Amino acid sequence: MKLTFKKTNYSPGELSSGGKLLTYAGLIVVLFLFLFPVAWMVFTSLKSLEQIVSEPLSIFPTTWNWSNYLEVFQNHPFSTYLWNTSWYTIVTVVGTVFFSAFIAFGFARFRARGQTFLFALLLSTMMLPQQVVMIPQYLLFNTIGWVDSYLPLTVPMIAGSAFLIFLLRQFYLGLPKELDEAVTIDGGGYFTIFFRIILPLSLPAMATAAIIEFMYRWNDLMGPLIYLNSQELYPLSLGLANFTAAYAATPWQLLMAASVMAVLPPLILFFFAQKYFIQGVVISGTKG
Amino acid sequence: MEAKTKHSMNKNPLRKVTIGAKREEKFFWLFISPWIIGFFLFIIGPMIASLYFSFTDYAVMSDVSFVGLQNFINLFQDPLFYRSLFVTFAYAALAVPFSMLVGLGLAMLLNAKIKGQAFFRTFFYAPSIISGVSVAFLWMWILNPQFGIVNSIIYDVFGIQGPGWFTDPYTVIPSFVLMQLTAVGSTMIIFLASLQQLPKELYEAAAIDGASSWRRFRNITVPMISPIILFNGVISLIASFQIFTQAYVVTNGGPDWMSYFYVYYLFETAFFQNRMGYASAQAWILFLVIFALTFLMLTLSRKSVHYEYDK
């Protein structure tokens, strides 16, 4: 009896050896299930079409056709797509994150009448399906002649993103106000506080915000689909979606090569920033 | 008395810099002004316009003509409207529980105290980073009826031809649900965060009382994380009703209109057929459906969601 009582510093995460074994087994099976598709994508991108058709179950390429990647660039304006996506993503990410931080600072630092209401309004815009505002927005941009340019996709970033404003505000609320006061004593105004104190201190939160926005912009299909008509303006998502249009039969090896290249930048970014990122998602997920 | 105040004012420099409520208010509006502008230009303005257009017949190049409730009457007589609603409901009904169960299951696995936690977390989360067109292609390839890995294995192991997945009217919706497997990461992370905040004492007490791990899960974990289950449920419901990219890339609404999702139909009405008025009416119906379902979910769950342990 006494012995069993001694074992009371039980914690929910601690497992019996059998449970541990089972957990590891589960983790490894899931890991395999998650990694296999990506690995298969990479291997397929290096196969020849003959091998794909004749031996569907083979995992490794019999010949490693690195030329598949070259072909993607040669037969498609892939470098144009890549360039378009890259500058578009970078510009909008920097812009949206900056303006979201600016707005979040306003919500976090100043007391004003109607603030609670406005913040609730901001949060409620997250519930609004994009489709309700999409059509009038299109008509507006069409009227002022912005369709078939990047303006409708970039200019609205000045309003920030409701989700990022929420995320950054949560973070700013946690920063001690004394920091601002130190600046004010030295004669600095609120812009100095924002640029010199808040922005540098919130780099981890900004990194999280930047990655979230990056993934959204990099992968967005509907926005470019609505506003861009000329192929030389296409971002990767749209170029990729129309990739097979030129072929009678799907060139799987090329499609996979193009997909690998499209997937790589977000994955690399995630790899380097995952610590911040998961933290940030956790913050937004639990305090909401 | 006065001297004392003066003294403390000098001692506490913060006093000097406390700004007046008026000035504070001014700065508040200054800082949030970009959002205010955006709110009127890109949200409230368009919402009013969209409501107006839903009562009109409008095809970009032509004039706007007011038609009253005609768009809505037409919608309710439109078989494609019902088909797209049905398909979207069916998808949501499968996808929401699926991503809840898988997300929670994975979070439980990652919550266990074992070596390599950070490693597993990173790799479990990574697939949801690569959403979009390329992942749609990846799944088209995995579920390809002839050369895809799934059907190849089915053929090798069982000697039978696997289903057509995206090409078969009966399997196309489940295939889209299966595709959600790569996107389950954010649901999983939010579950994981909430699991980590559960008080250990409760589990200790239950373990001493001899409660099995299943009972601990059912009677402690589930009630304690019920607000998060609800949160994830609502988020994934809203996302399910707006499924578009996958349908656009993989099936174009087929086969036999069985993946003609609501937003896909709306998109075609607006930007392929240029029927802006009709599409606006569709958008408002979507808004009402999502709103009603969210409201229903929040109301129905009121009794079973426990908030007392909220921190």
Side-chain angles (χ1 to χ4, degrees), chain A residues 177-199:
Chain A
K177 255 192 157 176
E178 285 77 21
L179 287 169
D180 314 5
E181 281 148 1
V183 175
T184 326
I185 291 161
D186 293 342
Y190 277 97
F191 286 94
T192 320
I193 295 172
F194 178 67
F195 284 104
R196 290 280 168 80
I197 304 281
I198 300 293
L199 282 189

Side-chain angles (χ1 to χ4, degrees), chain B residues 144-157:
Chain B
N144 181 283
Q146 283 107 45
F147 322 116
I149 193 80
V150 173
N151 275 9
S152 299
I153 290 174
I154 290 177
Y155 187 80
D156 247 46
V157 176

Side-chain angles (χ1 to χ4, degrees), chain A residues 5 8-15 20 22-24 26-28 30-31 34-38 40-41 44 52-53 56-57 59 99 102-103 105-107 109-115 118 121-122 125 127-142 155-156 158-159 165 177-178 181-182 184-185 190-191 194 211 215 219 221-222 225-226 237-238 240-244 252 255-256 259 262-263 266-267 270 274 277-278 281-282 284-286 288, chain B residues 13-14 17 19 21 23-25 27-39 41-43 45-47 49-50 53 58 60 106 109-116 118-127 129-135 137-138 140-142 144 146-149 152-153 156 181 184 186 189-190 193-194 197-198 200 203-204 207-208 216 228 231 234 238 242 244-245 248-249 263 266-267 270-271 274 276 279-280 283-284 286-287 290 294:
Chain A
F5 263 93
T8 51
N9 49 359
Y10 164 87
S11 90
E14 228 142 88
L15 299 164
K20 212 166 227 175
L22 222 68
T23 309
Y24 273 119
L27 283 170
I28 286 162
V30 176
L31 189 68
F34 275 26
L35 289 182
F36 186 77
V38 180
W40 205 47
M41 185 180 188
T44 304
I52 288 173
V53 176
L57 261 184
I59 291 173
F99 280 106
F102 193 79
I103 298 159
F105 182 70
F107 275 114
R109 268 301 183 266
F110 306 104
R111 240 166 298 157
R113 267 170 299 160
Q115 203 219 38
L118 284 174
L121 202 62
L122 173 95
T125 60
M127 306 284 280
L128 181 75
Q130 199 206 334
Q131 288 76 27
V132 173
V133 288
M134 173 176 97
I135 292 162
Q137 274 185 21
Y138 171 80
L139 295 172
L140 168 76
F141 290 128
N142 190 45
V155 171
I158 57 154
I165 295 170
K177 255 192 157 176
E178 285 77 21
E181 281 148 1
T184 326
I185 291 161
Y190 277 97
F191 286 94
F194 178 67
I211 299 167
M215 302 311 163
N219 290 314
L221 177 67
M222 202 188 245
L225 198 55
I226 291 172
S237 58
L238 197 47
L240 212 55
N242 293 336
F243 192 85
T244 49
W252 284 107
L255 201 54
M256 288 301 121
S259 298
V263 148
L267 267 187
F270 177 71
Q274 49 93 9
F277 185 62
I278 291 183
V281 176
V282 164
S284 65
T286 50
Chain B
L14 301 186
V17 298
I19 53 167
R23 227 185 120 213
E24 202 167 318
E25 202 150 309
F27 274 108
F28 171 71
W29 289 104
L30 179 69
F31 273 93
I32 71 159
S33 60
W35 176 70
I36 298 283
I37 294 167
F39 182 70
L41 269 180
F42 305 123
I43 298 195
M47 272 179 85
S50 163
F53 286 132
Y58 183 30
V60 191
L106 294 182
L109 270 179
L110 291 178
N111 195 39
K113 248 192 201 142
I114 39 115
K115 285 200 182 98
F119 168 83
F120 283 114
R121 277 178 199 173
T122 309
F123 278 95
F124 279 28
Y125 190 78
I129 289 299
I130 51 173
S131 59
V133 177
S134 30
V135 167
F137 279 137
L138 174 59
M140 271 172 87
W141 178 224
I142 293 172
N144 181 283
Q146 283 107 45
F147 322 116
I149 193 80
S152 299
I153 290 174
D156 247 46
L181 207 57
V184 86
S186 59
I189 286 285
I190 292 169
S194 66
Q197 289 183 339
L198 296 181
K200 289 184 172 136
Y203 289 91
E204 275 172 39
I208 294 166
R216 291 200 296 264
I228 303 294
F231 172 84
V234 169
I238 293 173
Q242 298 185 64
F244 173 79
T245 299
Y248 179 85
V249 174
V263 171
L266 196 165
F267 179 86
F271 300 103
N274 267 330
M276 296 299 176
S280 298
W284 276 94
L286 175 71
F287 184 34
I290 291 181
T294 310

Side-chain angles (χ1 to χ4, degrees), chain B residues 228-279:
Chain B
I228 303 294
I229 297 178
L230 180 64
F231 172 84
N232 272 336
V234 169
I235 297 282
S236 103
L237 180 83
I238 293 173
S240 298
F241 267 84
Q242 298 185 64
I243 179 172
F244 173 79
T245 299
Q246 298 90 319
Y248 179 85
V249 174
V250 181
T251 57
N252 280 315
D256 194 24
W257 309 95
M258 274 310 272
S259 64
Y260 203 61
F261 293 111
Y262 195 87
V263 171
Y264 188 75
Y265 184 27
L266 196 165
F267 179 86
E268 282 204 339
T269 316
F271 300 103
F272 287 168
Q273 307 170 6
N274 267 330
R275 295 161 70 198
M276 296 299 176
Y278 199 61

